[in-house]
Amino acid sequence: MSFTGLRQFRAARMYRLESGASEAGFREYLIGSGRLLILCTEDAVPTRGNFQGGWQFYALNPRTGKWAVLNLFRPRRGVTPPRVVKTVNGACSFMKDVGFPAGIIPFGVGSGVETSKSGDMRFIGSVAFD
């Protein structure tokens, strides 16, 4: 691909996970590492000027080198589930709110985009977690 800052396509990539983070903790990780992973959890379908689907966000913890999912701020039945953003507009708004210069969003289930605040982006065709 010839886009500036876009790294070559990678078929699959393994990510090491740690416990999820609240929004405040998630922002701290982003300040420290500047790296964000967006995972598509539900295929994107066009609807009236937007795309609906499902996307989860992961931030790299600079101290451990593992990725933490953004959790909802309220537990449900004693469990704090990951936050799932349901529209492309919502995903791009979140990225802008946490200081990223661009929003590249994957559209197929299991695919992801790893991006940094410096503008480097990498599409991952299949994201796997360890």
Side-chain angles (χ1 to χ4, degrees), residues 32-88:
S33 70
R35 292 177 58 195
L36 178 71
L37 170 67
I38 304 144
L39 173 67
C40 183
T41 60
E42 188 179 324
D43 282 328
V45 293
T47 56
R48 287 189 256 157
N50 201 351
F51 281 84
Q52 290 186 341
W55 293 272
Q56 289 178 341
F57 293 91
Y58 297 81
L60 182 66
N61 181 340
R63 291 184 301 276
T64 65
K66 295 181 179 180
W67 294 81
V69 68
L70 173 63
N71 281 339
L72 287 173
F73 62 94
R74 275 185 253 160
R76 292 184 181 167
R77 296 185 192 116
V79 176
T80 307
R83 180 176 172 189
V84 177
V85 177
K86 300 304 264 177
T87 65
V88 167

Side-chain angles (χ1 to χ4, degrees), residues 11-130:
R13 177 148 182 187
M14 181 73 68
Y15 290 91
R16 292 180 16 205
L17 285 182
E18 66 178 30
S19 298
S22 66
E23 191 160 338
F26 195 83
R27 287 176 187 266
E28 284 181 33
Y29 291 165
L30 291 176
I31 289 168
S33 70
R35 292 177 58 195
L36 178 71
L37 170 67
I38 304 144
L39 173 67
C40 183
T41 60
E42 188 179 324
D43 282 328
V45 293
T47 56
R48 287 189 256 157
N50 201 351
F51 281 84
Q52 290 186 341
W55 293 272
Q56 289 178 341
F57 293 91
Y58 297 81
L60 182 66
N61 181 340
R63 291 184 301 276
T64 65
K66 295 181 179 180
W67 294 81
V69 68
L70 173 63
N71 281 339
L72 287 173
F73 62 94
R74 275 185 253 160
R76 292 184 181 167
R77 296 185 192 116
V79 176
T80 307
R83 180 176 172 189
V84 177
V85 177
K86 300 304 264 177
T87 65
V88 167
N89 285 351
C92 288
S93 293
F94 178 78
M95 290 181 71
K96 183 177 183 318
D97 287 347
V98 294
F100 279 78
I104 304 295
I105 308 298
F107 288 144
V109 170
S111 62
V113 172
E114 186 180 329
T115 186
S116 70
K117 285 191 175 183
S118 66
D120 289 336
M121 293 170 216
R122 176 184 5 206
F123 175 80
I124 297 98
S126 177
V127 174
F129 296 109
D130 181 19

